[in-house]
Amino acid sequence: MMPVFNRRAPMLTVIAALLLFMLDESTAINNFFDKSSSQPKLDPYKVLGVKRTATDEAIQKAYRQKAKETHPDKNPSPHANDEFRRVSDAFELLSNPTDRRKYDAQMQRDAQRRRKQHEQERQREQKRRNQMHREQKEREKKHKAMLEKARGSQSRIMRFSTMEQFESSMLSSTKNSKVYETHCLIMFVSNKNAEKMGDEEYYFPYPFAGEGGAGRNNLYEGMLRVAKVRFNAQTDLTRLFRAKSRNNVPHIVFAKKGDAVGKFQIFRHGNSRRDTSSKDAHGEFKQWVESLLLIEATVVNFHSVAVDYLIVRNGHIILHESLQPYHEHVLSLHAQDRILAFDQRLDSYPGGEKKNHAHLLATNAKGALLLDTSVTSDGVYSIEKKRCYDLSTQCHGWTV
């Protein structure tokens, strides 16, 4: 019986040998790279102590020297086996021209990637610095403009140091007690640093004592008196408002018109009494005073039909409501708010629309303007009856 030969066996043996050879060839280079990263674990050139331009002879010479030094038979270190293995792997990699080219190419790509990353980081940092520089310039510009406005206000405030001066300037007498004659805003300063903080960070008392300088229109004129007082723990005035020397921080108080002497509010800057790091000190101060200056305004419609009214604050409409005839709305408003009321019924008469709208456009309203006034004090703001501008007589509900 003829023996049976497996003709595929020699071929499989050859393939297996080639795979083992390729695996062995790649083992050395893999030993110098982390599997999870392209970054090398160790630099074979540094392991052998040679330059990247070293010749094969120089690499072989360095390997022999390092092998002698790290061989376990001569190296007493407990890590001698690992050290000798690294030297052997380094020589195996660098002595193989293909592996050495692969390694050098990978190192070059890594170096290029690092340079690119470094350049991107440098550009991001430069962009961030430029942005910070622009923001700083903008803050300085804004601060300079605010200082100019504040100096105008600061030139108009009262200064006194005694109770007698305070009483003659801000109080009035009733049958039973003394009350504040008008709203009072007072800043106590204990030293130059506290005064500088009040003047240049709070911009005290802007905009509550003149918007930019003496003689300019100020919505708060007549409803608020502002003063600056030098702190003195021995005076009755300082004790009355419980002013304290607060580590270079000014002491600011607000007293409402008609309240009895001794009743007042204290400005707390920041989240706590000791927190003076808020970036928008003036914003906090301004918002605090405005909240205390809220005006109770009653809008009453005496017109014969429903009207629309707007509340405009700093050029922005904050309220748009409809008000029925002979009804009223009670609102809490700021001193600078503006009330506009208008009738939206339009003229449908051919050719008459343009004539009628010439008046409407002149009033900057969508209908006949019935009221346009600024809020100055508590009270009633009436929407009166007006003459009809509708040439088609469709708005006969309007009365003369």
Side-chain angles (χ1 to χ4, degrees):
M1 186 175 179
M2 295 292 291
V4 178
F5 294 98
N6 187 350
R7 295 183 178 181
R8 294 182 179 180
M11 182 60 69
L12 292 173
T13 302
V14 171
I15 292 174
L18 288 173
L19 289 174
L20 289 173
F21 175 76
M22 292 171 64
L23 180 63
D24 184 65
E25 285 287 304
S26 62
T27 299
I29 191 170
N30 286 339
N31 288 337
F32 284 86
F33 283 91
D34 190 339
K35 293 180 180 180
S36 61
S37 171
S38 61
Q39 295 297 322
K41 294 179 181 178
L42 294 171
D43 186 341
Y45 291 101
K46 290 183 178 180
V47 172
L48 295 181
V50 297
K51 297 180 179 180
R52 295 187 180 278
T53 57
T55 61
D56 293 342
E57 291 77 9
I59 291 173
Q60 189 172 20
K61 181 179 178 181
Y63 166 68
R64 290 173 180 171
Q65 180 63 31
K66 288 288 184 179
K68 291 179 181 179
E69 295 174 359
T70 59
H71 196 280
D73 291 344
K74 296 184 177 181
N75 185 4
S77 171
H79 306 293
N81 289 329
D82 294 335
E83 293 174 3
F84 182 74
R85 177 65 178 174
R86 283 196 291 271
V87 170
S88 301
D89 288 343
F91 175 69
E92 184 178 353
L93 189 156
L94 297 181
S95 63
N96 185 313
T98 301
D99 284 351
R100 185 178 180 182
R101 281 195 301 272
K102 290 181 180 179
Y103 177 82
D104 290 342
Q106 183 63 52
M107 290 301 97
Q108 186 176 9
R109 288 192 295 271
D110 290 345
Q112 291 175 348
R113 186 180 66 255
R114 287 193 295 271
R115 284 194 296 270
K116 184 177 180 180
Q117 290 175 346
H118 177 74
E119 178 61 21
Q120 290 174 343
E121 291 175 359
R122 188 194 67 79
Q123 291 178 359
R124 284 194 295 268
E125 178 63 19
Q126 186 62 43
K127 185 177 180 181
R128 187 185 67 84
R129 289 176 180 271
N130 292 341
Q131 180 65 22
M132 291 177 61
H133 180 71
R134 287 192 296 270
E135 291 175 354
Q136 178 63 25
K137 287 291 184 183
E138 187 63 28
R139 284 193 295 270
E140 291 175 358
K141 182 179 178 180
K142 182 179 179 181
H143 177 63
K144 184 178 179 180
M146 288 295 293
L147 280 179
E148 291 179 1
K149 294 178 180 179
R151 289 190 184 102
S153 293
Q154 290 158 7
S155 66
R156 307 184 68 182
I157 64 179
M158 295 183 288
R159 296 173 184 270
F160 45 73
S161 57
T162 66
M163 179 65 78
E164 290 74 16
Q165 292 172 328
F166 167 72
E167 289 180 349
S168 63
S169 301
M170 296 188 172
L171 300 185
S172 62
S173 299
T174 64
K175 292 182 178 180
N176 300 321
S177 63
K178 293 182 178 180
V179 298
Y180 301 108
E181 186 176 27
T182 183
H183 297 314
C184 305
L185 182 62
I186 306 173
M187 179 173 73
F188 290 83
V189 292
S190 57
N191 53 47
K192 290 184 178 180
N193 290 331
E195 187 170 16
K196 182 178 180 181
M197 182 178 185
D199 292 346
E200 300 183 9
E201 293 186 35
Y202 298 158
Y203 304 116
F204 182 90
Y206 178 79
F208 304 107
E211 298 183 0
R216 299 194 181 183
N217 181 39
N218 180 20
L219 293 170
Y220 300 96
E221 202 76 48
M223 65 180 298
L224 177 67
R225 292 179 185 172
V226 182
K228 181 186 291 186
V229 180
R230 181 65 62 180
F231 173 86
N232 185 341
Q234 304 303 317
T235 64
D236 293 337
L237 183 59
T238 300
R239 290 195 291 268
L240 172 65
F241 288 103
R242 300 199 297 273
K244 299 179 181 179
S245 179
R246 299 175 56 219
N247 297 325
N248 303 328
V249 178
H251 180 85
I252 302 176
V253 297
F254 180 94
K256 285 194 172 185
K257 177 182 177 180
D259 283 351
V261 174
K263 185 177 180 180
F264 55 88
Q265 301 289 330
I266 300 176
F267 175 56
R268 308 293 188 187
H269 176 45
N271 296 325
S272 68
R273 299 184 183 184
R274 298 182 179 181
D275 181 8
T276 59
S277 61
S278 173
K279 293 182 179 180
D280 189 12
H282 174 69
E284 284 189 25
F285 164 70
K286 183 172 180 287
Q287 185 178 12
W288 176 71
V289 177
E290 286 178 343
S291 68
L292 297 172
L293 283 173
L294 287 178
I295 293 172
E296 185 175 287
T298 303
V299 181
V300 183
N301 180 18
F302 290 110
H303 197 46
S304 55
V305 295
V307 299
D308 282 2
Y309 71 88
L310 306 176
I311 304 300
V312 181
R313 180 176 299 163
N314 298 325
H316 301 284
I317 298 173
I318 63 169
L319 183 66
H320 183 175
E321 291 286 347
S322 178
L323 186 59
Q324 296 298 317
Y326 307 106
H327 282 65
E328 65 181 37
H329 285 174
V330 180
L331 308 171
S332 293
L333 303 178
H334 291 176
Q336 69 269 36
D337 289 349
R338 182 182 174 195
I339 305 175
L340 295 98
F342 53 89
D343 191 316
Q344 286 191 319
R345 290 175 300 173
L346 301 178
D347 182 11
S348 59
Y349 180 77
E353 184 175 357
K354 291 183 179 178
K355 296 179 182 178
N356 188 29
H357 284 189
H359 169 77
L360 303 184
L361 292 174
T363 64
N364 295 319
K366 294 181 180 179
L369 191 66
L370 305 174
L371 176 67
D372 184 358
T373 186
S374 294
V375 177
T376 57
S377 61
D378 294 347
V380 176
Y381 294 82
S382 301
I383 302 173
E384 303 293 346
K385 293 180 180 180
K386 296 282 185 172
R387 179 185 298 274
C388 174
Y389 288 97
D390 189 345
L391 300 181
S392 66
T393 70
Q394 295 300 309
C395 59
H396 56 273
W398 297 27
T399 59
V400 177

